[in-house]
Amino acid sequence: MKLPTIKGFDEEAFNKYLKNTGWLMFGKIISLVVNLAITTYLGPILFGNLSFGLSLVAILAAVGGLGLDTFIIREVIQEPGKRDEILGTSLWLRIITNGLLIPIAIGIYLISHSLSSNPGESLVLLIALLSFASFFKSFNVIDSYFQSQVQSKYVVQVQNISLVVTSIFKILIIAFSLPLIYIVVAYILDAVVLAIGLIIAYQKRGLNIFNWSFNKTRAKLLLKKSSPLILSAVMVTIYMKIDVVMLKSVGSKAVGIYSSAQNLSEAWYFIPTAIITSVFPALLNARKTDLVRYKKRLGNLYDLLVYINIPIALFISFFAADIIHIAYSGKYDGAGIMLSIHIWSGIFVFLGMASSQYLIAEGYTKISFYRTAAGAIVNILLNLWLIPKYAGVGASLATLVACFVSTFYLLLIPKTRHQGIMMLKSLFLVTAFQKIFKH
């Protein structure tokens, strides 16, 4: 079957986008290789402890972001003269919130640890250090500023420098057989280098972070605007990370084996993400000028994502056990069945991401939140039922069903039902066969 092209999209703009994100993709590939080495080095139990800590801290870090990213970009564009006030106020709001989240993360862990029937070793220090690393993400307000100026290339450069530094550090950890805590320190190093790099990049543009100021009125205004997005961000993170946190009740080894499969399943997500992001401007343009073409482009995008995913999912499903064995040198055998299930979640994740662009274009932000909340609730309920019975396999099944529910939640809403039907047609190759028989 010939893969479709997205007719009507600006090919030159698409190629330019791919060129501009080349370094970002390079960074993703390097990160994947290093993470595979770390996962193999640690083994299921230690990697399970690390994955649990990262997932718990990630859920709380969603609160620390305060949903401000979008509003920082918008406020700076609308009031460029108030740049220092907007960025300074946003930074201090995040610093205070992320600072408070460190003891909260430790407290939540201590409570869950004391109530667990299978607590394992104490991970207080690991949780504390990972929370501290998350604290430095407060400086991502500079990233938002560069986005507002369409200068994200500077952020990508800083990210790649940080990646190289921490990758070298992680390789040295493996070479000298150092304990897990050094890998946790690597996450702090990554966060610190990234924060310093962002500050330097900002200063080199002729700007000065020391001119930033905090404004109480601005703080209240930002929090009022962004408060609905805080809950939305938390729901998204719960939706993506709660399975690892809940699986800890079975034991660290179960977390490690499941996480090894999950990481491989999600390793290539950046490719469809790049496609979706690149065609979004063309979708918006078509909506303004030609609604028929707008609908056709959405359908073509859904088709393309399905055609990309199905061959990959089929291949990995058949050879999952071999892939796990080769990738992790036989240390995670047993994760194959989890990978063969989890890989199919990707098709719903990508359709969900693409249809989210539609929801943004139409201004249906509440529906976007509701669908994510539905996915999170389904994931939690299914994990409560399936994890005690089937451990990582149960978590994989829960994720698959939750992703399906979240994506096709649009079928339940009258004004978005036609999008759900379009995605179903793409999923079951209805539009593909229509195109074949049409010719």
Side-chain angles (χ1 to χ4, degrees):
M1 184 185 298
K2 184 180 178 180
L3 291 180
T5 56
I6 307 180
K7 296 179 182 179
F9 287 126
D10 187 338
E11 185 177 346
E12 183 179 347
F14 183 70
N15 291 334
K16 183 180 179 181
Y17 178 85
L18 290 180
K19 184 179 179 181
N20 290 339
T21 56
W23 282 109
L24 180 60
M25 290 188 177
F26 172 77
K28 294 285 186 182
I29 294 170
I30 293 297
S31 180
L32 171 62
V33 173
V34 173
N35 287 336
L36 283 175
I38 287 292
T39 304
T40 304
Y41 169 69
L42 289 177
I45 294 176
L46 292 179
F47 181 61
N49 288 337
L50 178 63
S51 297
F52 168 76
L54 288 170
S55 297
L56 177 61
V57 169
I59 292 172
L60 294 173
V63 179
L66 295 174
L68 287 174
D69 291 339
T70 302
F71 291 100
I72 293 172
I73 295 169
R74 193 174 73 178
E75 294 288 307
V76 170
I77 292 173
Q78 291 179 349
E79 300 182 78
K82 296 287 186 178
R83 177 195 63 221
D84 292 341
E85 179 186 294
I86 294 166
L87 296 177
T89 302
S90 300
L91 176 64
W92 279 108
L93 284 173
R94 283 187 168 176
I95 284 176
I96 293 168
T97 305
N98 284 313
L100 292 172
L101 286 173
I102 295 175
I104 291 173
I106 296 170
I108 290 174
Y109 168 72
L110 287 173
I111 293 171
S112 65
H113 184 73
S114 63
L115 296 176
S116 176
S117 57
N118 186 20
E121 64 178 296
S122 175
L123 302 177
V124 172
L125 180 59
L126 182 145
I127 299 295
L129 290 175
L130 290 175
S131 300
F132 185 60
S134 183
F135 171 83
F136 287 95
K137 292 182 180 179
S138 303
F139 289 90
N140 282 356
V141 296
I142 299 174
D143 183 358
S144 297
Y145 168 74
F146 281 127
Q147 288 186 51
S148 73
Q149 305 302 301
V150 197
Q151 295 177 341
S152 293
K153 63 180 181 180
Y154 299 119
V155 177
V156 173
Q157 290 170 1
V158 171
Q159 288 173 339
N160 282 331
I161 291 170
S162 175
L163 176 63
V164 169
V165 171
T166 53
S167 293
I168 292 172
F169 187 60
K170 288 176 181 176
I171 291 169
L172 290 173
I173 290 170
I174 296 173
F176 289 98
S177 301
L178 298 176
L180 172 61
I181 198 67
Y182 283 88
I183 294 174
V184 177
V185 171
Y187 281 93
I188 298 177
L189 177 64
D190 181 51
V192 171
V193 172
L194 186 59
I196 293 173
L198 287 172
I199 293 170
I200 292 173
Y202 185 81
Q203 299 287 114
K204 286 183 71 175
R205 305 279 79 72
L207 305 169
N208 192 346
I209 193 173
F210 295 104
N211 289 335
W212 290 5
S213 60
F214 179 85
N215 184 282
K216 190 174 180 181
T217 303
R218 174 75 64 178
K220 290 180 179 179
L221 180 64
L222 285 171
L223 288 175
K224 183 179 179 181
K225 289 180 177 180
S226 67
S227 55
L229 293 182
I230 298 174
L231 185 57
S232 180
V234 172
M235 282 296 177
V236 169
T237 315
I238 288 175
Y239 175 43
M240 299 300 293
K241 301 292 184 181
I242 197 63
D243 45 1
V244 173
V245 175
M246 296 180 71
L247 195 57
K248 185 67 167 65
S249 62
V250 180
S252 294
K253 185 175 181 179
V255 176
I257 292 174
Y258 171 76
S259 296
S260 70
Q262 182 187 48
N263 288 351
L264 278 182
S265 176
E266 298 175 355
W268 69 289
Y269 278 15
F270 68 93
I271 296 175
T273 301
I275 293 172
I276 293 167
T277 306
S278 67
V279 302
F280 183 47
L283 284 174
L284 290 178
N285 183 58
R287 186 181 180 277
K288 294 176 183 177
T289 58
D290 189 340
L291 289 177
V292 174
R293 187 170 50 149
Y294 168 59
K295 183 179 178 180
K296 186 176 181 180
R297 286 181 175 181
L298 275 170
N300 286 333
L301 178 58
Y302 296 150
D303 288 345
L304 179 62
L305 294 173
V306 169
Y307 297 163
I308 290 172
N309 193 284
I310 285 181
I312 292 173
L314 283 170
F315 176 81
I316 290 179
S317 292
F318 281 115
F319 299 102
D322 295 322
I323 292 169
I324 289 288
H325 183 78
I326 294 169
Y328 299 119
S329 303
K331 290 189 175 182
Y332 291 83
D333 289 350
I337 187 172
M338 301 172 202
L339 177 59
S340 65
I341 296 169
H342 200 287
I343 191 65
W344 289 96
S345 303
I347 197 167
F348 304 120
V349 170
F350 304 145
L351 288 174
M353 289 171 61
S355 56
S356 290
Q357 305 301 312
Y358 158 78
L359 294 176
I360 293 171
E362 299 295 330
Y364 297 152
T365 51
K366 286 186 178 180
I367 295 175
S368 185
F369 167 72
Y370 293 147
R371 78 189 304 201
T372 305
I377 292 168
V378 168
N379 206 2
I380 290 171
L381 293 176
L382 286 177
N383 278 324
L384 286 171
W385 174 42
L386 295 173
I387 284 177
K389 293 183 177 181
Y390 307 109
V393 174
S396 301
L397 288 168
T399 297
L400 178 61
V401 175
C403 288
F404 175 85
V405 169
S406 178
T407 297
F408 288 100
Y409 177 85
L410 299 187
L411 290 168
L412 302 178
I413 311 297
K415 58 186 177 182
T416 61
R417 188 167 294 147
H418 63 287
Q419 287 297 311
I421 293 171
M422 283 174 63
M423 288 190 291
L424 278 177
K425 287 182 177 180
S426 295
L427 179 63
F428 291 104
L429 305 178
V430 174
T431 50
F433 286 114
Q434 287 175 341
K435 290 174 183 177
I436 290 171
F437 289 114
K438 185 178 179 181
H439 294 292

